Amino acid sequence: MSFTPNFTAAQTIGLPSILNLTDTSVGSDVLITQRRVLIQKSDNTYLVPTGTTTNYIAWAIANASIGIDVLNQDYALNITVQWLGVTDNILYAKTYLLDFTLYIMQFLLGLTTNQIAPPIVNYSAVNDNNYWINKLTLYVQKLDADNAVSVGGNIYASQSALDRGEYMINNQNLFF
Amino acid sequence: MPTPAEVISIYKLASVYASQDISNGQIFGKRINTKLPLVLQMEGGILEWLYVQDPADSRLVKIANYVFALCEMYGLTAFATITGGGGTVIPGMPIIPSIPYLIQITGASFANATDYNDSRIVGKNLVIFWSGISNPLSNPSQFVNTSTGFRITIDGVDIKNGAPESIFEIFILN
């Protein structure tokens, strides 16, 4: 039977460091004996879990999904899944350019939750024009990162927006 | 209060209305919150993102209510636009007085010489006018109720065959 490789990638609220991959390939190929994941950043280096010595992560064929703990911040990534034969020959491969923005979105969600939480702990900040401009700026970084990959196919622009967002989160006392 | 899913549609339209209002305000006088469309897009976007991630998230309703409140008057306009009207008004149950109900028939409708059958008039208090006669028929000398309608009790009449064109007006009083 023919084999059409495919996969999905997602994050789960509350677990922003975990990259969840699911194999959605259709069909089968008896020659496939192993599967690998390569997570490439915009600087061409690879994300791997601590202790991994290769630039890829093994993904056992028996498991339809895998959770990989590699996202220490928001990233734009080229994610490649390879389906290999017994001699490490690549039979099939599928690559997606995706951005993962859960850190920014969780931070924005936290700001919104604070805005409506009684008592309003940061009342003066919320009424400050800069608060809203900065929150909008952070939100736009997320949108820019999404659009850079989905419309522009540009991993560098996407990562640049995510880095700006990361800076705002890490220096939140200056902005919010 | 609209549901989170409804608010996701509302905020988008409210943003449009707010932008239009601000645009008009540049000509006819400044409106109060010129940042509203931006804030709506952001807070609504956060709501929408959360809804997509987890429609059962416990924070969803609070944030949706917050976003709806942020929509100000534009939210109500958007809600009406999306739902095709305003809110639902449930009228009180009216007390309807007894109103005479008229059934008009001809002699041809009779089942036989004297009997007219109609489930609508069974057990009802009837007033029957026969065309050409100014007064209603008297009960029981000129008609009586039956289990299937009424019967003309005037001796010797054959309405079905003798006066098929006659008009009977039957008023159902109650």
Side-chain angles (χ1 to χ4, degrees):
Chain A
M1 184 178 178
S2 65
F3 181 80
T4 305
N6 207 356
F7 69 92
T8 61
Q11 290 172 286
T12 304
I13 290 181
L15 301 170
S17 68
I18 309 291
L19 175 61
N20 298 305
L21 302 180
T22 301
D23 191 331
T24 57
S25 302
V26 176
S28 61
D29 186 333
V30 294
L31 297 176
I32 297 172
T33 59
Q34 53 182 320
R35 183 171 46 198
R36 293 174 178 171
V37 183
L38 294 99
I39 304 170
Q40 190 177 33
K41 298 195 292 182
S42 59
D43 63 1
N44 293 327
T45 63
Y46 291 87
L47 282 175
V48 291
T50 305
T52 302
T53 55
T54 58
N55 62 3
Y56 64 84
I57 301 138
W59 180 4
I61 290 293
N63 301 327
S65 299
I66 186 173
I68 306 169
D69 192 350
V70 288
L71 304 177
N72 61 328
Q73 67 163 85
D74 288 333
Y75 283 110
L77 300 167
N78 275 310
I79 301 179
T80 301
V81 176
Q82 299 171 336
W83 288 261
L84 304 98
V86 68
T87 58
D88 288 352
N89 53 316
I90 299 170
L91 299 172
Y92 307 92
K94 187 76 178 180
T95 300
Y96 285 116
L97 170 58
L98 301 166
D99 67 319
F100 299 90
T101 60
L102 191 52
Y103 282 99
I104 286 179
M105 288 312 296
Q106 284 194 165
F107 185 78
L108 288 169
L109 182 62
L111 293 178
T112 298
T113 306
N114 277 343
Q115 287 161 216
I116 61 176
I120 300 174
V121 290
N122 292 317
Y123 193 75
S124 59
V126 171
N127 281 331
D128 181 357
N129 259 352
N130 289 332
Y131 173 89
W132 291 104
I133 294 298
N134 290 331
K135 190 176 178 186
L136 279 164
T137 302
L138 180 57
Y139 183 62
V140 169
Q141 303 313 314
K142 184 262 193 249
L143 298 181
D144 283 350
D146 290 345
N147 291 331
V149 296
S150 64
V151 182
N154 189 330
I155 190 172
Y156 308 104
S158 180
Q159 189 60 56
S160 179
L162 294 174
D163 288 344
R164 291 192 293 271
E166 174 77 0
Y167 176 80
M168 295 184 78
I169 293 173
N170 289 341
N171 297 279
Q172 54 189 274
N173 60 314
L174 301 177
F175 298 103
F176 303 104
Chain B
M1 192 65 78
T3 65
E6 288 172 327
V7 174
I8 288 169
S9 297
I10 289 168
Y11 90 78
K12 293 173 181 173
L13 207 48
S15 174
V16 172
Y17 293 152
S19 294
Q20 286 178 326
D21 208 13
I22 291 164
S23 178
N24 291 338
Q26 290 172 353
I27 300 172
F28 300 109
K30 191 177 180 182
R31 300 303 197 269
I32 49 172
N33 189 355
T34 53
K35 286 200 301 289
L36 183 60
L38 302 176
V39 172
L40 284 181
Q41 289 292 336
M42 174 178 63
E43 299 295 352
I46 293 169
L47 167 70
E48 189 169 1
W49 171 82
L50 182 61
Y51 184 79
V52 169
Q53 295 294 316
D54 183 5
D57 192 288
S58 61
R59 296 163 290 190
L60 210 51
V61 171
K62 282 183 180 176
I63 294 175
N65 291 345
Y66 170 63
V67 171
F68 185 60
L70 281 179
C71 290
E72 299 179 3
M73 57 188 170
Y74 313 107
L76 293 175
T77 308
F79 192 30
T81 303
I82 290 163
T83 57
T88 303
V89 177
I90 301 171
M93 184 63 71
I95 299 170
I96 302 172
S98 178
I99 299 171
Y101 182 72
L102 173 66
I103 298 173
Q104 192 174 56
I105 62 169
T106 65
S109 301
F110 275 62
N112 52 43
T114 57
D115 291 0
Y116 172 70
N117 300 324
D118 189 331
S119 60
R120 293 174 295 175
I121 62 174
V122 174
K124 303 294 185 182
N125 185 15
L126 305 176
V127 173
I128 302 172
F129 286 86
W130 187 354
S131 57
I133 301 175
S134 57
N135 295 321
L137 299 179
S138 297
N139 188 344
S141 62
Q142 294 177 305
F143 86 96
V144 292
N145 290 75
T146 65
S147 61
T148 54
F150 70 84
R151 176 176 298 145
I152 300 297
T153 54
I154 301 170
D155 288 342
V157 298
D158 183 352
I159 297 166
K160 176 78 173 174
N161 300 304
E165 73 285 355
S166 294
I167 296 172
F168 289 81
E169 292 180 334
I170 307 164
F171 290 88
I172 302 171
L173 294 187
N174 53 54

